Amino acid sequence: TSLTYKQSGFCLFIGLFFKYYLVVPFIVRRAFFILIFSPIYSQSYMATMSTAPGKKKRTKPPMKTHVTKSDANAGLRAVDATEFASARAREINAMVEGLAARGVKRTFQKIPRHMRRRAMSHNIKRLPVRLRERAAREEDMTNTKVGNGKKPRRHRRRPSNLNAEFQRRQEGKMWLESHIWHAKRMHMAEMWGWKVPLSPCDKSARAAYRASRDACTIFDASYNGCIELHGSRQHVMDALNSICSPPIPSEPCMHKQSKTTLYGAKGDCLGHVSILFQDMDNDTFSAWLWCHASSRDVCLAAITRVSKETGGLDVVCRRKELCRF
């Protein structure tokens, strides 16, 4: 078969190519391959893409030309502002109402963040002085209480006001003289009409034991009831011996405490008492009877009964007048 000049030249090119292509190093072969076949591959790929079905042929964008103002306005559509607003009046009204409701703020919300303080919403005195009047007006308008009504601490800590507060807190119960000290360190409990320390908050059993062993311990026992029996020596001794066992000697030790037990009319035990005798003058004799707070009422009733039977005796309850340690 006869070959054309193009076909024979191509065959010669292919023969020489394979003869010398396999002899040269790999890097040189790779560069030669890219140099020879990349233009051919790119032209064939572009031709394939241009003729592929479903693909649009890429075209260059048109060159920008000068557009006059009249040409630009020619493609625009005119909009009537009145008709546009009336058609969307509902949406506009909803937006305005939402913005208005969101913009309502209290006085304490309008001040800068670096000036805001805790509890400003319910304590008017936390606000700056220039804004307190406005906050008070808001309180009247919204019927909400701004401020807790408490006076400043400096006013509350004055001695007269502090004592009045302590008296108010003692309604229905009584405090010991050392109540403030105990309340800071003890678990308090309401017993026998008193507020008494029940147990310590810290672990002090070993310290209390060492103190009692090496030195001494002291506690407030003012909750115990004190009953004073006042009259002549003979009447006082007769009244006490009728309800006490063991009986009291006829010549008791003055200004020295003695212990005994009180019994009722039917011989029932009322409780243990401590008696302290005092000589007022030659004709007057008094005895202080200390009884536990749980048995104070029954002991007072028994002593009152005996004093009426004996006659010539005065019975006084010194419950809130004396302290005992």
Side-chain angles (χ1 to χ4, degrees), residues 21-297:
Y21 179 75
L22 300 175
V23 178
V24 298
F26 174 76
I27 297 177
V28 177
R29 283 184 291 168
R30 188 67 176 270
F32 180 77
F33 180 82
I34 293 173
L35 181 65
I36 296 298
F37 290 98
S38 60
I40 300 173
Y41 177 77
S42 60
Q43 291 178 5
S44 62
Y45 176 77
M46 294 300 295
T48 304
M49 292 297 295
S50 61
T51 57
K55 299 290 184 179
K56 294 183 179 180
K57 186 177 181 180
R58 294 184 179 181
T59 57
K60 295 183 178 181
M63 296 181 62
K64 294 183 179 180
T65 57
H66 179 69
V67 180
T68 60
K69 186 175 182 180
S70 58
D71 296 337
N73 294 333
L76 296 179
R77 182 171 62 88
V79 177
D80 190 354
T82 305
E83 295 179 358
F84 181 80
S86 60
R88 291 166 176 81
R90 182 180 300 177
E91 291 85 350
I92 295 174
N93 293 333
M95 180 185 66
V96 172
E97 291 177 0
L99 293 176
R102 188 178 179 181
V104 175
K105 291 184 177 180
R106 298 283 296 275
T107 302
F108 65 90
Q109 294 175 325
K110 295 180 181 179
I111 60 178
R113 288 189 175 272
H114 71 278
M115 294 180 62
R116 296 182 185 181
R117 297 295 181 267
R118 183 174 61 87
M120 272 187 174
S121 59
H122 59 273
N123 191 353
I124 192 173
K125 294 183 179 179
R126 291 274 186 171
L127 292 168
V129 179
R130 59 184 177 83
L131 300 176
R132 292 179 185 177
E133 184 178 356
R134 186 187 305 174
R137 291 197 301 267
E138 290 180 357
E139 175 188 2
D140 298 336
M141 293 173 58
T142 58
N143 294 325
T144 57
K145 183 179 179 181
V146 180
N148 50 15
K150 293 177 65 175
K151 294 185 179 298
R153 188 177 186 275
R154 182 177 59 182
H155 176 80
R156 290 184 280 114
R157 298 300 296 181
R158 291 176 182 173
S160 59
N161 299 331
L162 199 60
N163 293 333
E165 176 64 16
F166 288 163
Q167 292 295 331
R168 184 192 65 81
R169 290 166 60 183
Q170 293 184 49
E171 294 179 358
K173 54 188 173 296
M174 288 186 295
W175 286 2
L176 302 173
E177 288 295 327
S178 56
H179 174 83
I180 302 299
W181 189 90
H182 280 98
K184 295 178 181 178
R185 299 166 177 84
M186 305 281 182
H187 296 288
M188 307 299 290
E190 187 176 347
M191 304 172 66
W192 314 302
W194 289 82
K195 202 73 171 176
V196 297
L198 194 61
S199 60
C201 295
D202 57 349
K203 298 179 180 180
S204 58
R206 297 179 62 184
Y209 169 72
R210 286 195 297 265
S212 62
R213 182 191 61 186
D214 301 333
C216 66
T217 56
I218 184 172
F219 67 96
D220 193 348
S222 302
Y223 56 87
N224 289 331
C226 180
I227 304 171
E228 183 180 359
L229 195 59
H230 184 75
S232 63
R233 177 188 289 266
Q234 188 61 34
H235 288 169
V236 171
M237 298 304 294
D238 293 343
L240 292 177
N241 285 329
S242 63
I243 59 174
C244 292
S245 180
I248 301 171
S250 58
E251 294 294 335
C253 297
M254 295 296 117
H255 308 287
K256 187 176 180 180
Q257 180 177 281
S258 60
K259 295 183 179 180
T260 185
T261 305
L262 261 63
Y263 290 87
K266 298 181 181 180
D268 51 332
C269 180
L270 302 180
H272 300 285
V273 295
S274 299
I275 305 176
L276 183 63
F277 295 98
Q278 291 183 348
D279 254 334
M280 307 301 294
D281 50 43
N282 295 331
D283 299 332
T284 307
F285 189 78
S286 65
W288 286 354
L289 285 78
W290 295 90
C291 57
H292 195 267
S294 59
S295 60
R296 184 189 64 87
D297 295 335

